């Protein structure tokens, strides 16, 4: 058995195609120009106030939006907020380009976005970028394996085809679809996230580019059900899905070699649990 499947991505280094120096230089230049702009706006505001024209808050904002623009604040108040928002956007873009998000399951991605929005961000600098992505590069296998095990743990074990120790040939998923007199519909929510996560793991193990989220398994399945509301089957390269009026879906895997690799990962994290096979 292959105990540590290799995670294949398009990058041998997480940010090999990104010009770090250009990003850092551009960020610093932008912040400098923004601060100059803020000072200029305050000077103009002072001038207009002395001639009876009001301050920038009076003539620079739409009525009803008096406090919605950082560019009308003083530099000492505005610059920390602007810097944080700029850095947050740069880190988000770097992470997207790195390919790391594609290795994460939905729960991990949600936590990462929450940390990005609410946590303390390191300043965007060459040293911080290199340090951060070196750590990410070293942990990408761990991140991917955690995604596999989270998907595995999230699938229902209420049926005997859902083995609590490994992926079998088929899993049965509760609350996958709805049914009424007009036919079937795909449920929104965390079940869809699980399907998308599962498909993404198989694409990575297969060494293929991950589908755009506008065309992943959940979208294709939704389109199929919408266009064929009274059919009960869907099939693609990796899955055969049969769904029933009570809401369950039977998901049969078509690539046992990839499922074997996923089971190797599960065995690594749950040692001794696969003997029942």
């Amino acid at each position: 058995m292959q105990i540590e499947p290799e995670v294949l991505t398009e990058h041998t280094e997480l940010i090999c195609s990104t010009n770090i120096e250009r990003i850092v230089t551009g960020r610093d230049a932008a912040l400098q120009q923004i601060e100059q702009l803020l000072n200029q706006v305050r000077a103009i505001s002072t001038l207009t106030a002395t001639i009876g024209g009001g301050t920038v808050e009076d003539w620079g904002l739409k009525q009803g939006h008096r406090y919605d623009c950082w560019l009308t604040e003083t530099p000492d108040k505005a610059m920390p907020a602007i810097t944080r928002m700029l850095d947050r956007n740069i880190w988000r873009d770097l992470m997207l380009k790195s390919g790391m998000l594609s290795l994460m399951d939905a729960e991990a991605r949600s936590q990462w976005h929450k940390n990005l929005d609410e946590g303390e961000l390191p300043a965007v600098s060459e040293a911080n970028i290199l340090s951060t992505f070196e750590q990410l590069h070293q942990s990408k296998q761990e991140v991917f394996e955690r995604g596999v095990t989270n998907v595995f743990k999230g699938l229902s074990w209420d049926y005997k085809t859902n083995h609590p120790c490994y992926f079998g040939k088929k899993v049965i998923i509760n609350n996958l679809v709805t049914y009424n007199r007009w036919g079937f519909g795909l449920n929104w929510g965390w079940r869809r996230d699980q399907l998308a996560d599962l498909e993404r793991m198989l694409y990575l193990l297969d060494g293929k580019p991950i589908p755009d989220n506008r065309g992943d398994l959940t979208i294709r399945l939704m389109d199929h059900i919408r266009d064929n509301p009274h059919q009960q089957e869907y099939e693609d390269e990796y899955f055969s899905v049969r769904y029933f009026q009570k809401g369950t879906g039977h998901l049969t895997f078509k690539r046992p070699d990839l499922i074997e690799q996923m089971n190797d990962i599960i065995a690594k994290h749950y040692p001794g649990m696969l003997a029942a096979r």
Side-chain angles (χ1 to χ4, degrees):
M1 289 175 91
Q2 181 185 355
I3 300 303
E4 298 187 8
E6 181 182 2
V7 178
L8 299 177
T9 66
E10 296 178 359
H11 306 287
T12 55
E13 297 178 7
L14 288 179
I15 49 174
C16 62
S17 61
T18 302
N19 188 327
I20 298 175
E21 182 180 358
R22 179 182 61 83
I23 291 174
V24 173
T25 301
R27 176 257 192 193
D28 293 343
L31 288 175
Q32 184 179 17
Q33 292 178 44
I34 290 170
E35 186 167 12
Q36 292 171 355
L37 176 62
L38 288 169
N39 285 318
Q40 290 175 349
V41 170
R42 298 315 298 179
I44 296 170
S45 180
T46 300
L47 173 60
T48 57
T50 64
I51 61 174
T55 65
V56 62
E57 288 85 359
D58 298 313
W59 49 257
L61 297 176
K62 291 182 178 180
Q63 192 170 11
H65 297 269
R66 188 176 179 85
Y67 303 105
D68 286 351
C69 181
W70 285 112
L71 295 179
T72 62
E73 299 286 352
T74 59
D76 62 321
K77 185 176 181 180
M79 285 307 296
I82 292 174
T83 300
R84 174 176 172 77
M85 287 188 286
L86 183 63
D87 283 358
R88 183 172 60 204
N89 289 338
I90 291 174
W91 281 118
R92 181 180 287 113
D93 186 62
L94 285 169
M95 191 70 165
L96 185 63
K97 290 176 178 176
S98 76
M100 278 298 292
L101 288 177
S102 67
L103 303 181
M104 298 179 180
D105 63 288
E107 180 182 351
R109 290 195 305 275
S110 176
Q111 185 60 50
W112 181 82
H113 286 298
K114 181 179 180 180
N115 292 340
L116 192 66
D117 290 335
E118 302 176 6
E120 291 297 322
L121 292 175
V124 173
S125 67
E126 184 173 358
N128 284 340
I129 292 175
L130 290 174
S131 172
T132 297
F133 282 91
E134 176 62 27
Q135 294 176 26
L136 289 172
H137 183 74
Q138 292 174 358
S139 66
K140 67 177 183 177
Q141 181 76 24
E142 177 186 346
V143 169
F144 173 72
E145 292 182 2
R146 186 165 58 244
V148 171
T149 57
N150 282 346
V151 170
F152 168 71
K153 289 187 294 184
L155 291 171
S156 172
W157 295 351
D158 295 340
Y159 302 87
K160 65 180 182 179
T161 51
N162 293 6
H163 303 285
C165 306
Y166 63 93
F167 280 111
K169 295 180 180 179
K170 177 174 69 176
V171 292
I172 299 177
I173 303 174
N174 285 321
N175 303 315
L176 180 65
V177 296
T178 59
Y179 182 80
N180 55 38
R181 59 180 176 173
W182 293 285
F184 287 95
L186 184 65
N187 275 328
W188 290 87
W190 55 280
R191 281 302 187 198
R192 294 176 65 138
D193 289 338
Q194 287 182 333
L195 285 179
D197 285 340
L198 185 57
E199 180 186 49
R200 183 166 49 254
M201 302 308 171
L202 293 180
Y203 267 95
L204 287 167
L205 287 170
D206 205 15
K208 294 184 177 181
I210 298 171
D212 185 277
N213 59 7
R214 292 167 295 183
D216 63 22
L217 172 61
T218 65
I219 300 300
R220 299 194 309 273
L221 181 56
M222 179 182 67
D223 290 345
H224 174 79
I225 293 175
R226 180 199 62 206
D227 296 338
N228 306 276
H230 297 287
Q231 289 188 15
Q232 292 184 249
E233 293 186 35
Y234 167 83
E235 190 167 343
D236 63 20
E237 181 180 6
Y238 293 117
F239 306 103
S240 174
V241 184
R242 184 169 176 80
Y243 36 94
F244 299 86
Q245 294 181 9
K246 62 181 179 179
T248 57
H250 290 208
L251 189 75
T252 301
F253 300 113
K254 297 175 65 175
R255 288 289 303 275
D257 56 319
L258 300 180
I259 300 306
E260 185 72 14
Q261 292 184 56
M262 293 183 73
N263 283 334
D264 290 341
I265 293 172
I266 295 167
K268 178 180 177 180
H269 290 267
Y270 298 94
M273 295 293 284
L274 298 187
R277 284 194 297 177

